[in-house]
Amino acid sequence: MATAVSKIALSSSRDIPFNKLVLSQFNVRRVKSGLSIDELARDIERRGLLQSLNVRPVLDDTGTETGTYEVPAGGRRFRALELLVKQKKLNKTAPVPCVVREVGSPILAEDDSLAENVQRVALHPLDQFRAFRDMLEKGMSEEEIAAAFFVPVTVVRQRLRLMSVSEKLLDVYEQDGMRLEQLMAFSISDDHARQEQVWEIAAQSYNREPYAIRRMLTEKTVRASDARARFVGLDAYVAAGGHVMRDLFEADDGGWLQDPAILDRLVMEKLQSAADQVRAEGWKWVETALSFPWGHTRHLIEIDGTPALLSEEETARLTALHAEQETIEADYAEAEELPDEIDHRLGEIEQAIEALETRPAIFDPGDIVRGGAFVSLDSDGTLLIERGFAHPEDREDENLSDAHDPAAALEDGAAPEDHADDATAGATGQHIAPDDVEDEDDLRRPIPDRLLSELTAWRTLALRDAFASNPDVALTEFLHTLCLSLFRDDRSGACLEAGVRVVGFPIQTPDLGSSLAAHALRARHEGWKQDLPQDEGELWAWLDRLDETSRSALLAHCLSFGVNALFEKVNPHGSVSPRAIERRLARSNRLASALHLDPVEAGWQPTVENYLGRVTKPHILDAVREARGEQAAGLIAHLKKADMAREAERLLEGSGWLPEALRAGLPDDDAASGEEQNHTAEDVELPAFLNAEIAAE
């Protein structure tokens, strides 16, 4: 015969006036921080009490009930009701539903209080999301839902954002197949098919971290911080039908643009519109591109323009802006961080000053019809217009026409009859009347060429001696020659056969022109160019008066254009030998060591485009292993090369890892050790991969 199961008896419940309730001293919740009594009181005011209080009769010394009840479980609700009574929103005799524990129960009051809090299970986020969704579908707004539950609107939007996740993935999460952080990562995309595909890939991978999921979902998108997006603007992109992916759970820097084709079309349309405006100025040609390679103007002749003069009003405004900037900087010189409004104002001042000081130069109409301009996108998302460049053949035609143009001769200050006299003067350079008849020895002929050569040879030797004895004048002349060559593109007529051969980069990455080094060089060059006088004679005097620090800085800038640390694949029929390349690289290592060049500080970091996507899988794994350890390399060892390269880029970010070709000359490199520094350039050992290349040739 089966044993009967004993039945339990539940505690009775009844309404008790609030003024008959007191908070029990046996309530285990002692820490009051974070109880949010005010929010609970407002919630009870809105919807009423959802849970009863757990109470026990209070006994007197004889064990008789006093008619008062203590509350060991439900203290937070009691305090909220107490607050409503104090606010006159609840009568002090209002009945409160209570579950009454009988006198003499073996269950301790502390036991009830602890059980109420410990046995509570927090609502699953998916249930919260579904509840929010149901309320939204039944007419409540996001703001109303947030107000009802005393949470920020962003929390409601985050939970509702889970509506964009595939139901298949929601089921996986419900069955504890993925973490909440992983589910939130999927919410940045609305493409359910792609979400499920990414999860299938992640489920078979060792790396299922949220960042990896986000990366796979956004690998074909463009960040909103990209220069193209800033140039076009998100509003224009959305108006053209583009979609933006947002991550409501983490800072996403504006999100991701899902339609790169639309973005690129808008960028080129805006660039073409700007190019049309520049073309309307009368330039012979205007080239347009997203970006031009570094050194794209090297083979062109730069046309000098006249700086646009400021009006009196503009000059006064510029002076006022500089004064305001100096005042603000002085007032907050000791502040660790500027207030937002002050920082914003400084930004406005800097933009206004830049707009006044960097206005386009004014070019001669004759130069405009022979020259051209480049229109492109700068790395900060602004329009970049480079005016005033001419092809050599266009300038040569100009010079040729001037040589036979009487108007050009007049511009040089000579009268027409002067040139007619020159035509009859012959080699003497003197005007000879046809009727004059003189002996040969009486004619003022030019001195013989040989004699002139002998005299100038002597003078040259004397100049060399004096030149070598006066370093200041020598430096001035050297700078004068370099400046004419680099800033004026004038290489003819120099009396000092010295200069810098500007080294170009026939092989370069597309982003070389937007690198930190390129920006610094470009800014430095433009700064010096604006300071240099236009007239050649004034230039020499200006250089002679320049202080030594500035002279040294200008010399270093000019000479920098000739630095050549390039590796070249040897052409058997070329003019550069393997030995010459070896010596060049060795000397560049020595120079890098002397300059303390750190490629990481200079802005280089490994990416798919500049290294990882261009080498084999073993090279990728070696890089990750060196930077992050064997375990990190093992995480990506099973991936295909494209995925491995993308994942390695993330792993190597901020690690400071450098490929062997960029380590030469660093302080911890063998070639830069104290013993090696005393060797000649020819003795410095090249990196192994360079030796292998040269040996193969």
Side-chain angles (χ1 to χ4, degrees):
M1 181 177 179
T3 304
V5 179
S6 61
K7 303 297 188 295
I8 64 173
L10 300 178
S11 299
S12 62
S13 62
R14 67 174 185 267
D15 291 342
I16 300 175
F18 179 76
N19 61 350
K20 297 296 183 179
L21 300 175
V22 294
L23 190 62
S24 173
Q25 297 300 313
F26 300 107
N27 192 297
V28 298
R29 187 186 291 275
R30 304 295 173 82
V31 180
K32 303 300 188 294
S33 62
L35 292 185
S36 58
I37 303 300
D38 291 342
E39 291 181 1
L40 181 57
R42 292 199 299 271
D43 188 72
I44 294 174
E45 180 185 358
R46 175 177 176 269
R47 72 178 88 247
L49 192 64
L50 296 180
Q51 290 178 277
S52 302
L53 302 183
N54 183 284
V55 302
R56 294 176 179 236
V58 177
L59 307 178
D60 60 15
D61 295 338
T62 63
T64 305
E65 294 186 18
T66 62
T68 304
Y69 297 83
E70 62 178 349
V71 184
R76 179 166 172 260
R77 295 190 296 279
F78 174 83
R79 290 191 179 91
L81 293 171
E82 186 179 43
L83 178 61
L84 291 172
V85 171
K86 290 180 179 179
Q87 294 174 345
K88 308 297 183 182
K89 295 178 179 179
L90 180 70
N91 291 327
K92 63 180 179 179
T93 59
V96 179
C98 299
V99 175
V100 183
R101 176 75 71 179
E102 70 278 7
V103 176
S105 171
I107 305 298
L108 299 175
E110 293 90 343
D111 194 344
D112 282 343
S113 178
L114 182 62
E116 185 188 51
N117 292 281
V118 173
Q119 296 296 337
R120 178 186 302 167
V121 178
L123 189 67
H124 195 282
L126 196 55
D127 292 330
Q128 187 184 30
F129 141 65
R130 286 169 174 161
F132 283 169
R133 179 184 61 184
D134 292 342
M135 287 185 284
L136 186 70
E137 292 175 349
K138 291 179 181 179
M140 290 184 69
S141 67
E142 294 176 350
E143 290 74 14
E144 289 172 335
I145 296 173
F149 293 95
F150 306 102
V151 295
V153 178
T154 54
V155 173
V156 177
R157 289 173 179 166
Q158 287 175 346
R159 292 294 179 257
L160 292 175
R161 182 64 180 175
L162 297 179
M163 294 172 61
S164 64
V165 180
S166 163
E167 284 291 339
K168 179 180 178 180
L169 299 186
L170 292 178
D171 292 340
V172 173
Y173 172 59
E174 185 175 358
Q175 300 300 322
D176 295 330
M178 71 170 69
R179 307 194 312 273
L180 177 60
E181 293 80 4
Q182 294 169 316
L183 185 69
M184 293 189 300
F186 282 104
S187 70
I188 64 174
S189 173
D190 297 323
D191 188 343
H192 289 182
R194 178 58 178 161
Q195 290 174 354
E196 294 170 7
Q197 181 186 36
V198 168
W199 176 245
E200 290 177 3
I201 296 173
Q204 301 173 13
S205 169
Y206 291 103
N207 189 1
R208 305 177 190 177
E209 293 301 315
Y211 67 79
I213 294 172
R214 288 187 179 89
R215 178 185 55 76
M216 286 188 281
L217 288 171
T218 60
E219 61 186 358
K220 295 182 179 180
T221 62
V222 177
R223 293 300 300 259
S225 57
D226 185 89
R228 292 169 293 170
R230 285 182 285 171
F231 179 61
V232 171
L234 289 182
D235 292 340
Y237 166 78
V238 173
H243 299 279
V244 180
M245 296 168 52
R246 297 303 304 268
D247 190 345
L248 298 183
F249 299 95
E250 290 191 2
D252 60 7
D253 201 13
W256 295 266
L257 281 62
Q258 293 181 259
D259 304 286
I262 294 178
L263 177 63
D264 289 339
R265 174 174 59 81
L266 293 175
V267 171
M268 291 309 300
E269 288 176 355
K270 192 170 181 179
L271 287 176
Q272 289 294 349
S273 175
D276 291 340
Q277 297 178 17
V278 176
R279 195 175 287 108
E281 297 173 7
W283 296 100
K284 181 178 181 180
W285 52 266
V286 177
E287 293 188 20
T288 308
L290 279 176
S291 63
F292 291 100
W294 173 256
H296 63 285
T297 63
R298 188 165 63 91
H299 298 293
L300 300 176
I301 298 173
E302 188 169 359
I303 303 172
D304 293 327
T306 304
L309 298 178
L310 298 177
S311 64
E312 293 184 2
E313 181 180 350
E314 290 172 331
T315 302
R317 173 166 170 72
L318 183 61
T319 302
L321 287 170
H322 278 297
E324 183 181 358
Q325 184 183 44
E326 292 174 359
T327 301
I328 293 176
E329 291 176 349
D331 291 343
Y332 291 90
E334 303 299 328
E336 295 183 0
E337 187 175 354
L338 294 175
D340 292 340
E341 62 276 8
I342 297 299
D343 187 51
H344 179 69
R345 178 53 186 162
L346 279 177
E348 292 179 339
I349 293 174
E350 290 173 358
Q351 291 179 355
I353 291 175
E354 184 178 5
L356 289 170
E357 293 182 340
T358 60
R359 296 188 301 175
I362 300 174
F363 294 90
D364 185 89
D367 290 329
I368 291 178
V369 297
R370 295 182 177 88
F374 296 94
V375 177
S376 62
L377 180 62
D378 209 347
S379 59
D380 61 354
T382 58
L383 182 67
L384 177 62
I385 301 177
E386 301 171 281
R387 296 177 175 85
F389 295 92
H391 294 288
E393 56 270 22
D394 293 333
R395 300 292 289 182
E396 289 172 2
D397 292 343
E398 174 192 359
N399 295 335
L400 183 62
S401 61
D402 286 350
H404 296 83
D405 187 359
L410 288 173
E411 291 178 4
D412 291 335
E417 55 270 20
D418 294 337
H419 287 269
D421 292 344
D422 290 345
T424 61
T428 63
Q430 302 293 326
H431 173 59
I432 304 175
D435 297 334
D436 290 344
V437 179
E438 299 183 13
D439 294 335
E440 262 190 41
D441 291 340
D442 294 332
L443 297 178
R444 190 180 297 277
R445 295 179 179 275
I447 62 175
D449 293 342
R450 181 178 178 83
L451 176 59
L452 186 59
S453 297
E454 292 173 356
L455 293 174
T456 54
W458 185 92
R459 184 174 181 271
T460 299
L461 193 61
L463 273 175
R464 289 181 181 178
D465 179 48
F467 192 88
S469 302
N470 196 324
D472 290 338
V473 174
L475 179 57
T476 301
E477 181 61 31
F478 185 36
L479 280 173
H480 186 258
T481 303
L482 291 177
C483 289
L484 289 176
S485 173
L486 294 173
F487 292 96
R488 304 281 186 270
D489 199 28
D490 183 0
R491 296 174 175 82
S492 62
C495 73
L496 176 62
E497 294 294 334
V500 174
R501 184 178 68 85
V502 179
V503 180
F505 304 106
I507 301 175
Q508 60 177 272
T509 56
D511 60 349
L512 183 64
S514 60
S515 64
L516 294 178
H519 276 292
L521 281 169
R522 191 182 296 116
R524 189 183 298 112
H525 192 75
E526 288 301 318
W528 280 115
K529 184 178 178 181
Q530 293 178 8
D531 291 343
L532 298 180
Q534 295 293 324
D535 183 77
E536 180 179 338
E538 292 180 7
L539 174 61
W540 204 99
W542 183 84
L543 291 170
D544 190 45
R545 294 192 303 268
L546 206 60
D547 62 89
E548 291 306 314
T549 301
S550 300
R551 285 155 64 95
S552 299
L554 178 57
L555 176 62
H557 172 69
C558 294
L559 293 178
S560 69
F561 285 86
V563 174
N564 185 356
L566 296 173
F567 169 76
E568 299 178 37
K569 188 173 182 179
V570 178
N571 184 345
H573 305 291
S575 59
V576 182
S577 66
R579 182 62 172 168
I581 295 177
E582 180 182 350
R583 295 179 64 189
R584 174 201 298 169
L585 292 172
R587 290 174 176 174
S588 71
N589 295 346
R590 182 178 60 193
L591 182 60
S593 177
L595 293 171
H596 305 291
L597 176 65
D598 185 346
V600 176
E601 292 183 359
W604 194 93
Q605 61 179 359
T607 65
V608 174
E609 290 75 17
N610 68 13
Y611 182 79
L612 298 170
R614 315 272 294 280
V615 296
T616 61
K617 292 174 68 173
H619 283 97
I620 299 175
L621 293 175
D622 286 344
V624 174
R625 188 177 295 111
E626 289 180 15
R628 299 302 187 192
E630 188 66 45
Q631 184 177 3
L635 289 175
I636 65 173
H638 65 288
L639 299 177
K640 294 181 179 179
K641 180 183 174 181
D643 294 331
M644 180 186 291
R646 285 192 293 269
E647 190 61 24
E649 177 179 333
R650 185 200 63 79
L651 289 171
L652 293 174
E653 183 177 359
S655 67
W657 180 87
L658 294 169
E660 189 177 359
L662 296 182
R663 297 180 192 177
L666 290 176
D668 58 349
D669 192 88
D670 290 339
S673 65
E675 181 179 352
E676 290 290 330
Q677 285 180 348
N678 295 325
H679 292 182
T680 63
E682 291 76 2
D683 293 332
V684 179
E685 184 178 356
L686 288 177
F689 83 101
L690 292 178
N691 278 327
E693 290 275 1
I694 295 174
E697 292 297 333

